[in-house]
Each structure stands twice: as C-alpha cells, then as structure tokens.
C-alpha cells in the first residue's frame, strides 16, 4: 500500500495543497485563489469563508487527482501566512474579515508604541517587530477605532485557527503562528502578559497554544465527505509559511540563508534558540521548540516586477498575451541587455510601504539617478536590482545576530528567472542554490507532519527530497559595481526616510482607492 502526506499552504493570494509520497515526490497539486479587498486606504482584507472554501476544495482536488485509497493518506499538515487577524463572536461566527499582514490601518498605533518605548520592551519578549502588520497593533487599533465591534469579540484568532475551528470545532494556535502575533513570549512559550495588557485583551480571548507538531483527529463529517479524507486521519497544526519555507528548501542548518521572493519576500536563517535584534528590526519565529527562524520580511518582491510589467510595459504585455508567452520572460530579456548597476540608475522598491529593513509603512518607491541616456530597459533592471539591494540590507542585519551566511538557498517565483538568480549571487557575493522542489512551504509542512507522525526520524530528511536545479556562482566582474552602488542606495534610503510620512499623508488624502483585486 502506498503512503501519502498532504502539505497545504494557506497563502495571501491562494491556498495550495500538494500530495507527496514519503520520499517527497509530488503526486498531485491544487491551487485555488481568492480576492484581496482594499475598499478604503491602507485596507488589505480577505473573506475567511472564501479562504476556508478554498482549503476544502484543494484538499478534495489532490485526493481525487492522486486517486488516494482508504488507508493511504497518513496525515495533512498545514502552513499559513502570518499576522492575520479575525474577530469571532460567542457563536463562533466572524465579526470581521481576515485582516492580513499587508493592512496598514494600525500604523498610528504601532508608531505610538515605537515612540513611547513600550513597543521595544514588548519586542524583547515576543520577537515580533512593532509594525501595523502584527495582530498586537491591529487589536489596539480596533479597540480605539471600532470599540463596539471590539467589545463583541469573544476570540481573536488567525486564518489557520479559523480553518481548524471549522474543521474540528476547537480554538488552537501553534507556537509558530503565535510567535508572529506580537502577543506571544518566545522565551516561556506562553501568551505575554505585558502584550496582553497593552492590547486590552485576556488570555481567555486567545486560542489554546499547542506545538507545531501537535495532531488532531475527528474531522467534521461534512468536510470528511467533501474532501474524501477519513475522520480518523490526523491533521498536524504545522507552522507559518516563512519558517516552513526554510525547512522546505533545507535551510535549517546554522549559516544556511534562505532567500524567498514571491509576491513579497524574506531573508531567514535558523538558530537553535530564540534571539532578538537589539534594534528591534528582525523577527524571531518558531519552527519547533528547538528551532527558531530569525530574519526580515519585505513587502516588495515580485509585486514590484508586476507593477513594472503593468505600468511601464503595457504594450509588451498585450503583445505577449497575444503571442501566449510570458511578459516576465520578455522583460528579463530586455533587462539582460543592460549592464550590472543599470548605468547608475537606482530604484527603491517601496511601492507598498516596507517592513524589513526600514519598518516604515509610509515608505514609498523612487528612481534615483535618471538621465536622458536611461531607457525603460534600464528601469526594469534597476527595479530588479532594487529588490535585491533591499534583501541584501536585511542580510546585513541578520549577520549582526547570527553571523555571516555560509550559503544561500533561494526559492519563490523569482527563481524561474536566470537573470534574477545571477543578480542575487552577484550582489550577495555568494553561491545561490535553487532547489528543485516547488511550493517550499507545502513541502516544509509535509515534512513537519511526517516528523510528527514518526514517518521520518528528524527534519533533516528534507535534504533528500528537494533536489537541486541550478547553482549560480557570483561573477567577480560585477562585484566592484555593486560594492560602489550599494552604499549609495543605503544612504539614499536614510535621506529619503524623513519625507515618507509627508508624501504618504498627501496620497491618502488625494489618491483614489482600488476596488478588490485578484491577480
């Protein structure tokens, strides 16, 4: 009899599920997307029921595509996006949509926490940087701005807890997602009393804490029938998408840096105990009780490339669609003709505010150094380089608490671009390995589930599952250019910072707001 494991990832734009055999081979894959609602300035919400329906749909799809027979499925393990917040009433119904990490409406209250020093105190316990992304800031915002709604809330949960509540009728949150709330003490593995007092809630209003490897059975009969998954199959709570991406690319040994660029991005390294940055710029989130992931998330990854495609290369996009070829491939071919450093054109990719390295929700993008000699081709290359410069800044901060990286494992949509992979190697001056496995968070979830069930001896089993498709060596002829430009890029970031709030305030008052979007 074959044995299978499902790794599912509840992401910001879609939910994915992958059916693996116990050697990590992909047997079936499903992906269902959902819209992001942005009806007022700084809003970024999703409908929890639309997400739940997507979870049920992808689980059913991989079961059917994989022709899974009774007894073959060993377990289902979950990854999920961090920082979401849903308020639930006493009848277990949502009072709000899922407020995502990208929602900036709590900026005023996170700024106040930073200014009065209280935020830094809380960060030292929780490892979650003070920022409107965090549920801590969102809860404070709701308490002040929507007090009637706040008073109705019986539970404050995230999207994964919502999914598990629907499937198993219990409120439980694992350490990894909890460690990204700003409410969880990473040193004693419990809700942090100071953070709770500042938020104005009690521990009874938060889910029961469990380990990422914790299991639960008794799937609701309705969803057992819809998915084809027996009610006695164990579901593993799993962890957050970021830390599971490290596991999914085998970046779990000391000094192995994981760089992920999808819609957003992150730079992360695993350490064996919780550690915080003296300046409060890096996160520290749980993978397991004994493995912690230190790093920085960026808002602006592939979404910047999409902006370049849509706003600067609209005619090429239309042509590419008519020819049924990728516009992104066309743009990278255009950018390849421009030398490293884009002839001195620099781009700050802060199109949606920024988390690491500057932690400023008001940050805005800019081109610097434009001359009449620069072309659209220069602009697309400068945009790609700007994304990597930003990630490089995050890496410099990680060096301060975890040492210089020994190697880089890279993943995400950008990994499909040879130009971008080479750019990463040249700017970081490191070999860059691109694992063969796709959907690293799903694989990470599956391996964590296998470990929980005793199907593998330890998490290092992942190294035999990922494969390697490309190893890019840095080109020494590009080092001098990037070494000269990076300090200018960093200084500019600091010089522009004082004006970000002024221009952001102007834009909030004058710019039109987009409707709900779905890529």
């Amino acid at each position: 009899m074959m044995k299978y494991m499902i790794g599912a990832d509840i992401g910001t734009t879609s939910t994915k599920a992958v059916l693996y055999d116990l050697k990590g081979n992909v047997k079936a894959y499903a992906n269902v997307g959902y819209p992001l609602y942005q009806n007022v300035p700084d809003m970024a919400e999703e409908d929890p029921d639309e997400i739940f329906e997507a979870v049920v749909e992808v689980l059913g799809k991989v079961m059917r595509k994989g022709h899974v027979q009774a007894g073959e499925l060993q377990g289902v393990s979950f990854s999920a996006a961090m920082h979401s917040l849903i308020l639930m009433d006493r009848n277990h119904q949502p009072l709000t949509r899922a407020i995502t990490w990208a929602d900036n409406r709590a900026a005023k209250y996170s700024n106040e926490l930073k200014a009065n020093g209280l935020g830094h105190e809380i960060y030292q316990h929780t490892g979650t940087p003070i920022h409107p992304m965090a549920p801590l800031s969102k809860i404070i915002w709701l308490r002040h701005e929507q007090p009637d709604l706040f008073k109705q809330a019986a539970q404050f949960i995230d999207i994964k807890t919502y999914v598990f509540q629907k499937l198993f009728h219990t409120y439980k949150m694992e350490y990894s997602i909890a460690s990204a709330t700003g409410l969880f003490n990473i040193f004693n593995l419990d809700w942090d009393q100071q953070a709770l007092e500042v938020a104005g809630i009690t521990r009874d209003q938060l889910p029961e804490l469990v380990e990422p490897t914790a299991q639960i059975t008794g799937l609701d009969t309705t969803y057992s029938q819809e998915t084809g998954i027996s009610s006695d199959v164990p579901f593993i709570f799993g962890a957050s998408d970021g830390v599971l991406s490290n596991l999914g690319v085998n970046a779990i040994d000391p000094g192995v840096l994981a760089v992920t660029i999808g819609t957003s991005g992150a730079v992360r390294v695993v350490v064996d105990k919780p550690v915080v940055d003296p300046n409060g710029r890096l996160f520290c989130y749980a993978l397991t009780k004994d493995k912690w992931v230190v790093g920085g998330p960026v808002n602006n990854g592939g979404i910047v490339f999409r902006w370049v495609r849509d706003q600067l290369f609209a005619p090429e996009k239309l042509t590419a669609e008519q020819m049924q070829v990728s516009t992104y491939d066309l743009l990278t071919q255009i950018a390849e003709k421009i030398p490293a450093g884009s002839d001195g054109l620099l781009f700050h990719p802060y199109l949606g505010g920024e988390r690491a390295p500057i932690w400023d929700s008001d940050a805005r993008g800019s081109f610097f150094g434009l001359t009449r000699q620069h072309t659209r081709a220069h602009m697309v290359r400068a945009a790609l380089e700007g994304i990597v410069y930003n990630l490089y800044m995050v890496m410099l901060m990680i060096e301060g608490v975890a040492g210089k990286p020994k190697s880089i494992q890279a993943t995400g949509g950008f990994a499909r671009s040879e130009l971008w992979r080479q750019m990463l190697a040249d700017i970081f001056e490191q070999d860059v390995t691109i694992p063969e496995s796709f959907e690293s968070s799903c694989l990470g979830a599956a391996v964590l589930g296998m470990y929980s069930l005793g199907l593998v001896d330890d998490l290092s089993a992942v190294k035999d599952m990922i494969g390697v498709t490309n190893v890019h060596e840095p080109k020494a002829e590009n080092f001098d250019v990037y070494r000269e430009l990076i300090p200018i890029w960093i200084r500019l970031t600091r010089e522009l910072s004082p004006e970000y709030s002024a221009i952001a305030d102007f834009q909030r008052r004058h710019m039109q707001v987009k409707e709900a979007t779905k890529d």
Side-chain angles (χ1 to χ4, degrees):
M1 181 177 69
M2 292 297 296
K3 292 184 178 180
Y4 299 110
M5 190 82 198
I6 292 176
D9 176 39
I10 307 169
T12 306
T13 57
S14 67
T15 287
K16 310 171 187 72
V18 184
L19 180 72
Y20 298 96
D21 66 19
L22 299 193
K23 293 183 179 179
N25 297 310
V26 175
K27 298 301 179 181
Y29 171 79
N31 180 12
V32 174
Y34 26 77
L36 181 69
Y37 296 94
Q38 303 178 93
N39 308 109
V40 299
D42 295 324
M43 173 193 280
E45 296 183 345
E46 292 171 334
D47 186 319
D49 288 321
E50 289 177 343
I51 295 175
F52 178 74
E53 289 166 7
V55 171
V56 173
E57 185 174 346
V58 295
L59 293 179
K61 280 184 174 179
V62 294
M63 289 291 288
R64 292 188 293 274
K65 287 181 179 179
H67 305 290
V68 181
Q69 304 300 309
E72 291 183 333
L73 183 64
Q74 304 302 296
V76 183
S77 185
F78 276 85
S79 161
M82 293 173 279
H83 313 303
S84 61
L85 177 67
I86 305 168
L87 274 58
M88 302 290 288
D89 68 17
R90 289 173 177 77
N91 298 315
H92 314 297
Q93 298 302 307
L95 293 166
T96 64
R97 292 179 180 144
I99 308 171
T100 73
W101 62 267
D103 193 296
N104 276 327
R105 287 174 292 174
K108 171 185 173 182
Y109 299 96
S110 62
N111 290 340
E112 287 177 359
L113 277 179
K114 286 181 183 179
N116 63 23
L118 194 55
H120 191 66
E121 283 185 35
I122 293 172
Y123 166 79
Q124 296 298 319
H125 308 155
T126 66
T128 303
I130 302 301
H131 187 269
M133 70 178 185
L136 168 64
S137 297
K138 293 182 174 88
I139 291 170
I140 296 171
W141 162 66
L142 287 168
R143 192 181 82 227
H144 284 88
E145 303 287 338
Q146 299 188 49
D148 292 340
L149 182 69
F150 180 85
K151 290 174 184 176
Q152 294 177 53
Q155 287 281 311
F156 296 84
I157 66 174
D158 78 299
I159 188 59
K160 196 205 299 188
T161 302
Y162 184 81
V163 168
F164 271 79
Q165 197 282 328
K166 296 272 284 186
L167 296 176
F168 295 97
H169 311 294
T170 184
Y171 289 106
K172 293 185 179 182
M173 184 184 291
E174 39 77 16
Y175 295 157
S176 184
I177 289 292
S179 64
T181 61
L183 301 163
F184 177 80
N185 189 305
I186 59 176
F187 297 99
N188 65 18
L189 304 180
D190 196 3
W191 296 118
D192 185 77
Q193 189 56 41
Q194 184 182 25
L196 295 183
E197 290 173 1
V198 170
I201 61 175
T202 66
R203 63 177 54 242
D204 293 338
Q205 293 176 290
L206 293 169
E208 176 189 347
L209 291 164
V210 298
E211 294 186 29
T213 52
Q215 305 167 18
I216 189 169
T217 56
L219 179 63
D220 185 285
T221 304
T222 299
Y223 305 118
S224 176
Q225 292 172 350
E226 285 190 37
T227 61
I229 298 173
S230 172
S231 61
D232 61 359
V233 170
F235 277 54
I236 294 85
F237 283 89
S240 68
D241 55 358
V243 302
L244 285 174
S245 183
N246 266 61
L247 175 58
V249 298
N250 192 32
I252 56 174
D253 292 330
V256 180
L257 197 71
V259 177
T260 303
I261 309 177
T263 303
S264 55
V267 184
R268 302 175 299 266
V269 68
V270 172
V271 295
D272 59 7
K273 60 182 179 181
V275 60
V276 293
D277 171 34
N279 296 308
R281 301 164 301 179
L282 297 172
F283 61 66
C284 182
Y285 300 147
L287 172 54
T288 65
K289 285 196 302 183
D290 304 316
K291 289 187 183 295
W292 296 78
V293 177
V294 175
V298 302
N299 289 358
N300 299 284
I303 197 167
V304 173
F305 201 12
R306 186 171 70 191
W307 174 82
V308 170
R309 179 197 68 184
D310 294 347
Q311 305 304 328
L312 302 182
F313 288 84
E316 288 81 0
K317 178 185 176 185
L318 181 60
T319 301
E321 288 173 350
Q322 291 171 344
M323 297 174 62
Q324 296 185 323
V325 298
S326 168
T327 316
Y328 294 125
D329 290 344
L330 178 62
L331 294 188
T332 54
Q333 289 170 18
I334 292 170
E336 280 176 335
K337 298 175 183 177
I338 303 301
S342 303
D343 289 325
L345 181 61
L346 300 176
F347 179 70
H348 285 84
Y350 305 140
L351 303 187
E354 191 50 284
R355 290 180 289 172
I358 60 175
W359 295 102
D360 188 344
S361 59
D362 287 336
R364 295 295 184 262
S366 58
F367 282 103
F368 179 84
L370 273 170
T371 69
R372 289 192 300 272
Q373 283 70 44
H374 287 117
T375 66
R376 287 190 305 156
H378 286 87
M379 296 175 83
V380 66
R381 182 173 183 115
L384 299 181
E385 288 175 333
I387 294 167
V388 182
Y389 292 157
N390 201 50
L391 294 166
Y392 180 81
M393 275 186 69
V394 179
M395 186 272 290
L396 292 177
M397 293 189 299
I398 293 174
E399 277 189 10
V401 298
K404 191 172 180 63
K406 300 173 184 175
S407 62
I408 297 174
Q409 300 281 97
T411 187
F414 95 105
R416 291 189 289 269
S417 164
E418 184 174 352
L419 172 64
W420 219 343
R421 296 193 299 258
Q422 189 61 54
M423 208 176 274
L424 186 64
D426 293 346
I427 291 171
F428 279 64
E429 297 188 21
Q430 290 269 6
D431 286 355
V432 173
T433 301
I434 311 297
E436 181 180 5
S437 62
F438 75 113
E439 301 302 350
S440 56
S441 293
C442 289
L443 178 60
V447 172
L448 187 64
M450 293 179 199
Y451 175 63
S452 170
L453 295 166
L455 300 171
V456 297
D457 292 334
D458 55 52
L459 298 180
S460 64
V462 74
K463 69 178 181 292
D464 297 321
M465 301 180 185
I466 62 169
V468 174
T469 52
N470 291 282
V471 177
H472 284 260
E473 297 179 356
K475 294 180 179 178
E477 62 266 28
N478 293 332
F479 289 176
D480 288 344
V481 168
Y482 286 131
R483 288 174 183 173
E484 187 173 351
L485 288 174
I486 288 171
I488 299 172
W489 192 93
I490 292 173
R491 287 197 301 271
L492 276 170
T493 306
R494 293 170 180 155
E495 292 293 330
L496 291 170
S497 180
E499 300 302 331
Y500 284 148
S501 61
I503 196 65
D505 180 63
F506 176 90
Q507 291 169 347
R508 290 188 187 102
R509 288 184 285 111
H510 294 283
M511 288 180 71
Q512 293 184 348
V513 180
K514 295 179 180 179
E515 296 300 320
T517 58
K518 181 178 177 181
D519 187 34

